[in-house]
Amino acid sequence: MGKPIVAIVGRPNVGKSTLFNIFANSRISIVEDTPGVTRDRLYATAEWLDHEFMMVDTGGIEIMNADAIAVSIRQQAQIAIREADVILFVCDARAGITSEDAEVAKLLRQSKKPIVLAINKADSPKQEMSIYEFYNLGIGEPIPVSAANHLGLGDLLDSVVSKFAEKNTFGEIDDDDEIKVALIGRPNVGKSSIFNALVGQERSIVSNVAGTTRDAIDTQVVREGQKYLFIDTAGMRRKAKIDEPIEKYSIMRSLRAVDRSDVVLMVFDAVEGVTDQDKKIVGYAHEAGKAIILVVNKWDLYEKDNTSTLRYTEMLRNELVFLQYAPVVYVSAVTKQRIHRLPEVISYVAEQNAMRVATSVLNQVIEDAIAINPPPSEHGKRLKILYVTQVKIKPPTFVIFVNDPEIMHFSYQRYLENKLREAFGFEGTPIQMIIRGKNEED
């Protein structure tokens, strides 16, 4: 059985994200006093009275606003409503019923879904008395709550779980063999457009305004029997350019998305090339041991000749010297050029990231490498490599036991890494090596 889905909806700035954070027991959604901060759907698992369910936070619905971003937010909220088993409609006790509330209520009634009506900011007797007017929305019994003061939340959750059907048929993807893929990069390089092309629906808001995607978005997809969880993330800016408090949360969320992932798609703008910020962003993924694919987007806008791809790849290798192992895919999110290749490459590098090598085979490769190029001496003492074993995957991690770790030179360690790559591939994944003395325990 799949988890029931509860979508939190309402107009901007009524406290939806604050409620979401409380129920999810973590600061997942961006909370600011600025209306319209939460722009995309956000998912988190919540639990109440032995009921586990998926909460979906949405952007504020502005029925009257014809602005392009407002229209996109409205569309995203409508998708969340369609996905939901139960809708949690949030209004503001202090503001009373607004024309926007009435229009949202009309939209929700048309959905034919079970609805729970929460009247937030009811933190005084006067506001609690004012909730009765919300019966006029025709949604059902209004439940007074105060997200800021954690009042009435138990009653609200009781009402939510009471709406769950005894048997729900919502299909949930088993994540045992699911590949988690995070799309990262600077703002406006086309991450959301690539994300939408990969998942096959307008899942993340796409616009030409840099930084539109402020939250990490998860979508599960099955392609040719392989399960993927695609995570679109906020574009990351240099710290000096973070003017809004919400951008700080966005960066932390993007880095957490990398931590959650198995594979990272590092998206570049073909015309702009590699920036210092790009190096920092993908460097974080490298240090985290994630499989990495370098995705050069907007290739349709790049002036090309017969050697463009080779020259551009050489430039990437020179700029990102620590990522020699990462495959490069040239795409156009607009024309869909080569987007279809990404799932295949994702599956391949995920497999490489999770590769385990038998100890006997591993030591044979190392012995052959030593025979070709013996370890150097330092201060009159020659390095002896005694034994190698793989202790971890994701990323492949090896412990090399030597006579004296102090004389293992970085260049020789790199030589051994290259020999392992020659023998086993490990394409798209970093390799970690731990140097231990012969008397040190694992």
Side-chain angles (χ1 to χ4, degrees), residues 9-25:
V9 302
R11 60 184 178 79
N13 213 31
V14 294
K16 298 184 301 298
S17 294
T18 305
L19 282 170
F20 176 84
N21 290 336
I22 294 168
F23 297 152
N25 197 31

Side-chain angles (χ1 to χ4, degrees), residues 264-284:
V264 167
L265 301 187
M266 175 65 203
V267 183
F268 299 90
D269 183 314
V271 178
E272 293 183 7
V274 181
T275 67
D276 287 341
Q277 184 67 358
D278 287 326
K279 294 176 186 178
K280 291 175 183 175
I281 293 170
V282 76
Y284 180 86

Side-chain angles (χ1 to χ4, degrees), residues 324-340:
Q324 302 299 309
Y325 59 81
V328 184
V329 182
Y330 294 87
V331 305
S332 167
V334 174
T335 67
K336 304 297 188 289
Q337 180 185 17
R338 297 191 191 88
I339 294 287
H340 68 280

Side-chain angles (χ1 to χ4, degrees), residues 173-233:
I173 296 176
D174 182 5
D175 63 2
D176 285 348
D177 56 352
E178 181 180 72
I179 301 174
K180 298 178 179 65
V181 185
L183 288 83
I184 65 171
R186 290 178 293 111
N188 217 30
V189 294
K191 297 185 302 298
S192 294
S193 297
I194 293 172
F195 175 87
N196 289 337
L198 285 168
V199 304
Q201 62 169 309
E202 290 299 315
R203 176 63 182 79
S204 188
I205 295 172
V206 178
S207 79
N208 292 322
V209 182
T212 300
T213 305
R214 299 193 177 196
D215 295 312
I217 319 294
D218 294 4
T219 295
Q220 292 172 315
V221 173
V222 179
R223 289 184 185 274
E224 298 182 2
Q226 175 61 59
K227 301 164 188 173
Y228 303 90
L229 181 75
F230 288 104
I231 309 165
D232 190 18
T233 61

Side-chain angles (χ1 to χ4, degrees), residues 49 63 74 91 121 144 221 246 342 364 388 419 421 437:
L49 300 179
I63 301 291
R74 189 157 63 244
C91 296
K121 306 181 187 179
V221 173
I246 52 177
L342 286 175
Q364 186 60 57
V388 182
K419 286 299 180 182
R421 291 190 184 279

Side-chain angles (χ1 to χ4, degrees), residues 12 19 43 65 74-75 82 103 123 126 167 170 222 248 296 314 319 331 342 427:
L19 282 170
Y43 291 76
N65 192 340
R74 189 157 63 244
Q75 290 171 342
R82 286 201 302 271
E103 290 297 325
D123 38 22
K126 178 182 177 182
K167 290 183 182 179
F170 177 76
V222 179
K248 296 176 183 177
V296 181
E314 184 179 2
E319 292 287 340
V331 305
L342 286 175
E427 187 175 0

Side-chain angles (χ1 to χ4, degrees), residues 180 182 184 231 233 251-264 284-285 287-290 394:
K180 298 178 179 65
I184 65 171
I231 309 165
T233 61
I251 290 173
M252 289 188 290
R253 183 170 304 104
S254 296
L255 298 181
R256 283 201 300 268
V258 170
D259 292 334
R260 292 170 50 210
S261 68
D262 302 307
V263 178
V264 167
Y284 180 86
E287 292 296 329
K290 305 301 179 179
K394 297 185 179 182

Side-chain angles (χ1 to χ4, degrees), residues 22-322:
I22 294 168
F23 297 152
N25 197 31
S26 62
R27 193 179 180 87
I28 295 172
S29 187
I30 298 167
V31 179
E32 285 291 329
D33 293 332
T34 309
V37 166
T38 305
R39 298 184 173 195
D40 289 307
R41 284 171 291 153
L42 247 174
Y43 291 76
T45 299
E47 189 174 354
W48 182 252
L49 300 179
D50 297 325
H51 291 276
E52 193 174 50
F53 53 97
M54 187 73 76
M55 302 289 295
V56 185
D57 192 17
T58 66
I61 303 175
E62 297 179 90
I63 301 291
M64 312 298 185
N65 192 340
D67 173 80
I69 292 289
V71 170
S72 290
I73 291 170
R74 189 157 63 244
Q75 290 171 342
Q76 295 298 314
Q78 288 170 333
I79 292 171
I81 290 166
R82 286 201 302 271
E83 290 177 352
D85 298 298
V86 177
I87 297 166
L88 178 55
F89 179 26
V90 184
C91 296
D92 186 335
R94 297 172 189 170
I97 295 178
T98 68
S99 58
E100 290 278 3
D101 289 328
E103 290 297 325
V104 174
K106 181 179 177 182
L107 178 70
L108 296 182
R109 285 196 301 270
Q110 292 169 352
S111 74
K112 307 296 184 184
K113 298 290 181 73
I115 301 168
V116 176
L117 177 58
I119 312 304
N120 191 29
K121 306 181 187 179
D123 38 22
S124 73
K126 178 182 177 182
Q127 275 133 15
E128 284 186 25
M129 289 298 295
S130 70
I131 71 162
Y132 294 106
E133 72 168 297
F134 287 93
Y135 277 103
N136 293 323
L137 291 172
I139 295 292
E141 180 183 0
I143 301 174
V145 300
S146 171
N149 297 310
H150 290 219
L151 299 175
L153 302 184
D155 291 341
L156 180 61
L157 287 171
D158 284 344
S159 182
V160 167
V161 299
S162 72
K163 302 287 186 182
F164 296 159
E166 299 218 346
K167 290 183 182 179
N168 89 68
T169 57
F170 177 76
E172 186 180 40
I173 296 176
D174 182 5
D175 63 2
D176 285 348
D177 56 352
E178 181 180 72
I179 301 174
K180 298 178 179 65
V181 185
L183 288 83
I184 65 171
R186 290 178 293 111
N188 217 30
V189 294
K191 297 185 302 298
S192 294
S193 297
I194 293 172
F195 175 87
N196 289 337
L198 285 168
V199 304
Q201 62 169 309
E202 290 299 315
R203 176 63 182 79
S204 188
I205 295 172
V206 178
S207 79
N208 292 322
V209 182
T212 300
T213 305
R214 299 193 177 196
D215 295 312
I217 319 294
D218 294 4
T219 295
Q220 292 172 315
V221 173
V222 179
R223 289 184 185 274
E224 298 182 2
Q226 175 61 59
K227 301 164 188 173
Y228 303 90
L229 181 75
F230 288 104
I231 309 165
D232 190 18
T233 61
M236 292 187 262
R237 303 177 188 275
R238 290 189 297 277
K239 288 186 178 180
K241 292 195 174 181
I242 301 173
D243 299 321
E244 301 175 81
I246 52 177
E247 292 258 18
K248 296 176 183 177
Y249 298 131
S250 298
I251 290 173
M252 289 188 290
R253 183 170 304 104
S254 296
L255 298 181
R256 283 201 300 268
V258 170
D259 292 334
R260 292 170 50 210
S261 68
D262 302 307
V263 178
V264 167
L265 301 187
M266 175 65 203
V267 183
F268 299 90
D269 183 314
V271 178
E272 293 183 7
V274 181
T275 67
D276 287 341
Q277 184 67 358
D278 287 326
K279 294 176 186 178
K280 291 175 183 175
I281 293 170
V282 76
Y284 180 86
H286 169 77
E287 292 296 329
K290 305 301 179 179
I292 297 172
I293 301 168
L294 306 180
V295 180
V296 181
N297 189 30
K298 307 184 185 179
W299 194 238
D300 55 315
L301 301 180
Y302 187 79
E303 292 187 17
K304 296 179 283 293
D305 57 34
N306 292 335
T307 62
S308 294
T309 303
L310 288 173
R311 287 189 288 104
Y312 206 101
T313 300
E314 184 179 2
M315 180 275 291
L316 286 175
R317 300 300 186 208
N318 290 335
E319 292 287 340
L320 304 166
V321 291
F322 55 94

